[in-house]
Amino acid sequence: MTASERSLQLVALAAEAAAEKLADDIIAYDVSEQLVITDVFLLCSASNDRQVRAIVDEIEERLRIEAHAKPVRREGEREGRWVLLDYLDIVVHVQHEEDRTFYALERLWKDCPAISLPDSVTRVRAQRARGMAGE
């Protein structure tokens, strides 16, 4: 089994929303073969707690408006270090970069197929990398 069309639609919208709020290292994995609870994990990180919250808010708003989707569960918002948004079809992890490095979720799911993200997401990542190289 592979991720459903609905899952792919949600993950694309969530990734674009995260990119707009300058999330780092946006990655999506098709975990449908490994888990029965969801199809896709979307991982991204931010450099501070305020940015984590901004990314979460943008993802929630975008999915609510454009896909009529609301999370069935939201965890970690109070601390602002690692917020989990569970949309059933996808689970979004927005982590403070220190927590992202420490927990290294990519290592857990590295055997799962990566999902291609929209060009707008990869373009933002490339632009930011070029900007940092020039500093």
Side-chain angles (χ1 to χ4, degrees), residues 52-123:
V52 167
R53 288 185 184 97
I55 292 166
V56 167
D57 290 346
E58 185 68 21
I59 290 170
E60 282 191 310
E61 183 175 347
R62 179 76 64 89
L63 292 182
R64 182 178 48 78
I65 291 170
E66 295 184 29
H68 309 289
K70 292 182 181 177
V72 296
R73 191 174 66 177
R74 183 180 188 177
E75 295 182 8
E77 182 181 18
R78 188 174 311 137
E79 296 81 20
R81 305 263 321 159
W82 180 351
V83 179
L84 180 144
L85 300 172
D86 184 350
Y87 285 90
L88 297 178
D89 296 317
I90 70 168
V91 174
V92 179
H93 298 269
V94 183
Q95 296 177 295
H96 190 287
E97 59 191 21
E98 292 171 1
D99 292 356
R100 175 95 179 256
T101 301
F102 181 79
Y103 290 102
L105 294 179
E106 293 91 333
R107 278 197 330 247
L108 294 174
W109 305 108
K110 68 180 178 202
D111 294 335
C112 296
I115 293 175
S116 295
L117 297 174
D119 288 341
S120 59
V121 174
T122 54
R123 213 174 19 253

